[in-house]
Amino acid sequence: EPEVTQTPSHQVTQMGQEVILRCVPISNHLYFYWYRQILGQKVEFLVSFYNNEISEKSEIFDDQFSVERPDGSNFTLKIRSTKLEDSAMYFCASRRTVVEQYFGPGTRLTVT
Amino acid sequence: GNSVTQMEGPVTLSEEAFLTINCTYTATGYPSLFWYVQYPGEGLQLLLKATKADDKGSNKGFEATYRKETTSFHLEKGSVQVSDSAVYFCALSEMSGGTSYGKLTFGQGTILTVHP
């Protein structure tokens, strides 16, 4: 069964560094999403991406964040200058046309 | 804006007990409703869904009915197992009006622990 994959599973970085989180969505899916989950809190929407552009973003998704689908298979989330409060689990999700989204296993980002 | 409220947790049950996790929502349009489950150390898995009022979603013995009149989507299971121990998230997605691309709005999650 096709699944969403994410790498790395755990990323440790120093404050102020740039990080890129990678996702490979299910191959025939059209809509792509990033969510984050700070430890002990709810899962929060960051951004949605469709037709090679951002379709919707939350107030969390400020200028420090960017997304890209560089080669038709990968979907990346970049944080330009990480802060301590960016420490969280980041989930990628994708869907085709039906409503349900399929999630990857997540990348745990730890900013020190 | 949209919001989802789940019952306070954690919930601790003995094996074969009846489970209810309450979920209510606020939405401006006609959302689809979901329950996702997160097992320890894993990502989010879709457990069940309902896309319109009075629909019942079911999977693996879990059920939830979309109640528009009470804006609720409570999760139930008649007899829980130890393997059901996980975090359960209620969520909604709105697709109406062309302004939403289906982002999910989640509740805060309910930790379920089932003892033998």
Side-chain angles (χ1 to χ4, degrees), chain A residues 31 33 35 37 40-45 48 50 55-56 89 91 95 97-106, chain B residues 4 32 34 36 38 41-46 49 51 89 93 95 99-109:
Chain A
Y31 299 82
Y33 305 84
Y35 295 84
Q37 183 183 27
Q41 298 186 23
K42 65 171 67 176
V43 178
E44 302 173 288
F45 167 76
S48 61
Y50 170 70
S55 47
E56 192 173 3
M89 182 75 89
F91 293 106
R95 69 176 178 91
T97 53
V98 292
V99 294
E100 61 260 33
Q101 296 175 26
Y102 294 86
F103 282 75
Chain B
V4 176
S32 295
F34 307 87
Y36 280 85
Q38 185 178 31
E42 299 185 15
L44 297 163
Q45 298 177 25
L46 178 66
K49 69 175 182 184
T51 57
F89 292 92
S93 170
M95 308 287 286
T99 58
S100 171
Y101 286 82
K103 71 176 183 187
L104 287 165
T105 300
F106 286 87
Q108 62 267 44

Side-chain angles (χ1 to χ4, degrees), chain A residues 6-69:
Chain A
Q6 290 185 243
T7 54
S9 57
H10 190 192
Q11 173 88 49
V12 181
T13 189
Q14 289 190 326
M15 199 166 48
Q17 295 297 303
E18 174 183 286
V19 293
I20 298 176
L21 310 183
R22 302 180 192 281
C23 168
V24 179
I26 295 172
S27 63
N28 63 351
H29 283 193
L30 302 174
Y31 299 82
F32 312 106
Y33 305 84
W34 283 102
Y35 295 84
R36 79 171 185 191
Q37 183 183 27
I38 295 172
L39 187 64
Q41 298 186 23
K42 65 171 67 176
V43 178
E44 302 173 288
F45 167 76
L46 291 177
V47 65
S48 61
F49 192 86
Y50 170 70
N51 201 25
N52 284 318
E53 59 183 18
I54 290 173
S55 47
E56 192 173 3
K57 60 184 181 179
S58 72
E59 57 274 12
I60 302 168
F61 194 88
D62 62 20
D63 291 345
Q64 292 300 311
F65 291 88
S66 62
V67 289
E68 201 175 38
R69 189 156 159 80

Side-chain angles (χ1 to χ4, degrees), chain A residues 60-107:
Chain A
I60 302 168
F61 194 88
D62 62 20
D63 291 345
Q64 292 300 311
F65 291 88
S66 62
V67 289
E68 201 175 38
R69 189 156 159 80
D71 55 14
S73 61
N74 290 284
F75 180 50
T76 61
L77 175 69
K78 182 194 289 185
I79 309 175
R80 288 189 184 81
S81 178
T82 49
K83 307 183 191 69
L84 293 175
E85 55 265 36
D86 294 326
S87 295
M89 182 75 89
Y90 289 81
F91 293 106
C92 173
S94 69
R95 69 176 178 91
R96 184 164 169 78
T97 53
V98 292
V99 294
E100 61 260 33
Q101 296 175 26
Y102 294 86
F103 282 75
T107 293

